[in-house]
Amino acid sequence: MSAKTARKSKPLMTSRSISRDLTFSLVVIVMLIATAMGSYIYWQQSEEMWATADEKGEDTITSVAEILAVPIWNLDYDNARLIGSVYTHDDMVQGIRIYGSRDEVVFAHEKFSGSQADFSKVRAIVFEGRKIGRAEIDFTLARDKKRLDEQMLVSIIIIVVSISVILAITGLLLRVFLNKPLMVLQSGIARVAKGDFSYDFGEVYHAELLDIAKRFRRMSIEIEGRENKLQTMNKTLQEAEEKFRGIFENAVEGIFQATPDGVLRRANPAMARIFGYESVEEFLANVRSLSSRIMVNPEHMQNFFEKVRTEGEVKRFEAEYYRRDGKTMWGSLNARAIYDETGTLVFIDGILEDISERKQAEQDLADLNRHLEQLVRDRTEDLVLKAQELEEANQRLRELDEMKSAFLSSVSHELRTPLTSILGFAKLLNKEFSRNFMPLVEEDRLVRKGERIQSNLLIISHEGERLTRLINDVLDLNKIESGSMGWRDMRLSMDEVIDVAANSVSGMFSQTDLQLITEVESGLPTVVADPDRVQQVLINLLNNAAKFTEEGTVTLRAFPRFGQLRVEVVDTGTGIHADDQAQIFEKFHQTRSDTMVNKPRGTGLGLTICREIVEHYGGRIWVESEVGVGSSFIFTLPAVV
């Protein structure tokens, strides 16, 4: 930058004085503080004036209303006018108006002061609880305002005089304590600038200016230290250059520098040895360019140069080269572009590594891989044959499963007809026996035999019903497993589905001491499923809870959780052992632990069907139980938007 440009960049008013700036700043600060304090005092006194005036006005209007109550009630308007005229002599009262019970004007008086009233008060005139008129008084604060303005004027005069005295004293002190020390400091800095670091600013006694002097001296010492450090760095750089030269000369990899066209300019001894030359001079004399006859495929080198120009560097560029003796070798080339200040490519620095041994190992590995691939193909053919055999066996198993399903369906349907007849005739026989035979029996022996016959008939009915449930469960499970179950999926309002299931089992709970509690949160998520199947799951779980709970409660909960519907059936029954919990959802599994002694027997398929239905809709069902505390059967169903 020229001196002319430097002069232009200097700020204006460079001859400003520090003392003048400090004095001006002090004036501004004092004036701002004085103005703020005066404004605050004026505002505070004004607020006090208004508060006092409002309180006095309130007392005045209250006194007027109380005094006028008797004259207005007695229609003594002359006395009322006299009372009103008395209050007109108050300096605060600018106008007064007194009205009678019919809103007629009893007395009115206005002072014409040339200004409007500051505020007004209105008060009803009441006598023995009845409103008989009203009084209105206008108040003025002209006298108080005038007194306040006079006080503020005196305060302003005092502030102006105080500021003038302060400024005069401040100017004198600045000249004594600031200007002279600054001149001393300026003279000392000039001497330091000329290289006289021995100057110690002894004439400066103020702590702040002395601190500036010390900092300036410390800065000059630091500059001198940086110059020494720069010399040390230059020496270190020379040593590093010597070390780099040693690395360049003694490196195992070939290091070179070439022009953008590939002409070699420099190379290290390792580069010459890689290509079979005794010295670098001999190598550079015979190998003029990287793209010359040393390349087995010279066209590959064009790709290398193009990549260096476009990307600025090339890593692990592998190519095959000719050595001096005519043999070939593989090399891995890493290179980067060197640009000048204008961004023009001037050199290419690179490192060449001999990877012939690695390439040979890769070739051996490739041969081994081909051999392994052949072995894999042979093994694959054997596996394909085995897979075909397994597929044929699987097909036979599927056929057997279809035969099993057809057999179960056929047998179940064939069993239903005679079973229905057996149940019907057993119930009919029990009914006819109880109606026609038992009333005629008089001997105790015959009565006991009749009761035994009735008990046997009830056993036939109960076992027949259990067999019917077993057949129905077998049919349902068979349909689910075979995929022939008819699913009537629809968008369900789970509140209604849960209510229907709870009502369906309410009869069972009414016959016991158990209490069914339903806890359903509002706003349950929508579920797409077959309502009959979902009710079947709920009813099965509630029936099991009632069956294995002697006393206490069975709680049905439903609430949303993590984008799913979660349903819990919690009982206070005997609980389930941990060993049985993992198998309780398997077919025909019934717990045999001591907690289930003397409990009613089921089909062993209810929980299996529940699991199949829940998992069909992408849900999950499990049990959490503790022996002696109770069980919780939980299932989740995915919600839909």
Side-chain angles (χ1 to χ4, degrees), residues 493-495 520-526 558-561 564-565 639:
S493 175
M494 289 304 300
D495 305 74
V520 180
E521 290 189 9
S522 59
L524 292 181
T526 303
F559 52 91
R561 186 172 186 182
Q564 294 180 326
L565 172 69

Side-chain angles (χ1 to χ4, degrees), residues 185 189 192 201 207-223:
L185 183 62
I189 292 175
V192 171
F201 300 95
E208 295 81 359
L209 299 179
L210 188 60
D211 183 65
I212 294 175
K214 291 179 179 178
R215 290 177 183 272
F216 186 81
R217 187 184 300 111
R218 191 180 303 118
M219 181 184 66
S220 62
I221 295 174
E222 185 176 351
I223 292 174

Side-chain angles (χ1 to χ4, degrees), residues 6-20:
R7 286 196 299 271
K8 287 184 178 180
S9 63
K10 290 182 179 179
L12 298 176
M13 300 179 65
T14 55
S15 60
R16 290 167 52 183
S17 171
I18 295 178
S19 60
R20 188 183 301 115

Side-chain angles (χ1 to χ4, degrees), residues 588-602:
F588 303 108
H589 178 80
Q590 294 189 354
T591 304
R592 294 290 185 266
S593 63
D594 53 357
T595 62
M596 300 299 170
V597 177
N598 298 326
K599 299 297 180 182
R601 296 284 300 280

